[in-house]
Amino acid sequence: MSFNSFFLRTALAASLSVPAFCAPPAITSVSPNPVLGTSSDQSFCVNGSGFINGPGLRVRLVFSNGQADVPVNFFNLNQLCLTFTFGAAIGNWTAQIANPDGQLSNIFFFSVTAPGHGMSTHFAVPQLVFGGACYSALYFSNTTNSLESVQVQFTDDIGAPLLVPLAGIGSVSSRTVILNPGTTVVLEALNGPSPSTEGWADILLPPGVIGYGVVREVDDGHADQETIFPFTPEISQTAEFAYDDISFTSAVALLNPSSQQTTVTVTAFGADGDEVASTRLALAPHEKSVKILSAYPGMTGISGKQGRIVVSVPYGAVSVLALRFGAAGFANIPVNHR
């Protein structure tokens, strides 16, 4: 059956109030799996086939002391994503899809694990890029003597869940990393034949777990270039760094990690402390802007200068990654978040 005929048949059935005779939905995996049982909302995605968008589409989550029918906040034909708080019960859970035509999927089992000790903190990797000539990796090390869990959520530049093909794992938009005492785990998004894709990562990091990100450019005929991306806080309203646009080119990733829209102000000062350029841009929740710094409207004044950049928001938060490009490659510029 062709793509067009499928939708014609579905529309005809809906107009006659008769269910479309489609294959029932099927769940093949969920992510993350296991889920970290925290008391805050998390993104949870169901992967499979036969999903139909429309009124009545829901995911039924069943746990030891109850169940919940959760509406979907992201949809494509092979993935549904929702937001839910999984702290209600630790142990085995199930997920089942109910399509608008009344058909039910298989029941899929997954687990919810207890978080480690202490309060976990959200950090961001504002630039994650993979495919084409680009490779990214996230490193996590457990310095404690207890089992710890790290939740990683991948988001595209406009704030939607991003499928990331992790080496040895598969394509997921979120992942829970289980760390035994003293162990290290690496998540790798490889370069390759697919087009280059950009996004960012939200990391829920428990006390005692450390890590960082890496991005590498793999270009035939040239030595590989790579730099370290630190985990940046998601609660700061001001960030500062030094720039040098005399012999180099500065670039930034400006990320709104919060759930509310905000306006980012970028102000540049010269080496003498005088203001030389400024710009403002609105960022929707979880949205990111990546650009050569001097290419933003109002920022051409930094060309041929050195000095200091101040990034600020009046409410919400901002996470900033800064890079310096030159003939020898590129490097991370340390950013002070406060």
Side-chain angles (χ1 to χ4, degrees):
M1 182 182 295
S2 71
F3 186 80
N4 288 333
S5 64
F6 167 83
F7 279 96
L8 287 172
R9 183 171 178 177
T10 302
L12 178 61
S15 68
L16 297 175
S17 300
V18 177
F21 294 99
C22 303
I27 302 175
T28 56
S29 66
V30 300
S31 60
N33 189 11
V35 180
L36 191 63
T38 66
S39 59
S40 59
D41 282 349
Q42 300 179 51
S43 177
F44 179 76
C45 296
V46 179
N47 308 305
S49 61
F51 304 151
I52 299 175
N53 201 9
L57 174 65
R58 66 189 187 277
V59 179
R60 171 161 291 180
L61 299 176
V62 179
F63 43 98
S64 59
N65 55 356
Q67 68 179 39
D69 289 337
V70 186
V72 172
N73 55 25
F74 173 80
F75 172 87
N76 68 36
L77 295 177
N78 301 110
Q79 185 180 63
L80 309 175
C81 293
L82 54 92
T83 300
F84 192 74
T85 300
F86 287 90
I90 304 303
N92 293 323
W93 289 49
T94 65
Q96 187 177 34
I97 302 295
N99 268 347
D101 63 4
Q103 295 196 84
L104 301 176
S105 75
N106 57 305
I107 295 175
F108 191 91
F109 288 84
F110 65 98
S111 61
V112 174
T113 62
H117 61 84
M119 179 68 71
S120 295
T121 303
H122 283 277
F123 289 88
V125 176
Q127 178 72 341
L128 188 82
V129 56
F130 55 90
C134 298
Y135 159 100
S136 291
L138 301 176
Y139 284 78
F140 302 100
S141 291
N142 183 2
T143 68
T144 76
N145 294 320
S146 62
L147 181 75
E148 298 289 352
S149 301
V150 178
Q151 185 182 356
V152 183
Q153 182 173 323
F154 301 111
T155 305
D156 67 16
D157 287 356
I158 61 172
L162 174 67
L163 283 175
V164 177
L166 297 178
I169 296 171
S171 293
V172 298
S173 59
S174 60
R175 178 72 177 176
T176 298
V177 179
I178 306 300
L179 292 162
N180 289 313
T183 60
T184 297
V185 171
V186 183
L187 301 181
E188 295 180 292
L190 304 180
N191 58 292
S194 58
S196 177
T197 301
E198 295 186 21
W200 63 279
D202 170 78
I203 299 167
L204 189 60
L205 205 66
V209 176
I210 59 175
Y212 59 90
V214 175
V215 65
R216 179 184 306 143
E217 185 178 36
V218 181
D219 192 4
D220 291 341
H222 301 278
D224 293 354
Q225 303 284 343
E226 75 172 33
T227 192
I228 301 296
F229 287 174
F231 295 164
T232 63
E234 295 187 11
I235 58 172
S236 302
Q237 292 188 324
T238 303
E240 299 173 305
F241 62 92
Y243 73 94
D244 183 350
D245 267 43
I246 296 177
S247 303
F248 305 92
T249 300
S250 303
V252 292
L254 305 172
L255 168 66
N256 175 10
S258 73
S259 57
Q260 60 180 316
Q261 179 167 318
T262 194
T263 300
V264 179
T265 299
V266 182
T267 306
F269 300 89
D272 58 2
D274 290 340
E275 183 177 325
V276 297
S278 66
T279 192
R280 299 179 70 197
L281 66 152
L283 289 179
H286 312 301
E287 184 181 9
K288 184 187 76 178
S289 175
V290 182
K291 195 175 291 189
I292 298 297
L293 189 55
S294 61
Y296 282 101
M299 293 301 294
T300 56
I302 71 169
S303 298
K305 295 182 176 66
Q306 298 170 332
R308 178 172 58 99
I309 300 293
V310 179
V311 181
S312 62
V313 294
Y315 45 82
V318 65
S319 297
V320 178
L321 175 75
L323 294 175
R324 185 174 84 165
F325 290 85
F330 58 96
N332 174 61
I333 301 173
V335 178
N336 177 41
H337 288 81
R338 57 183 175 85

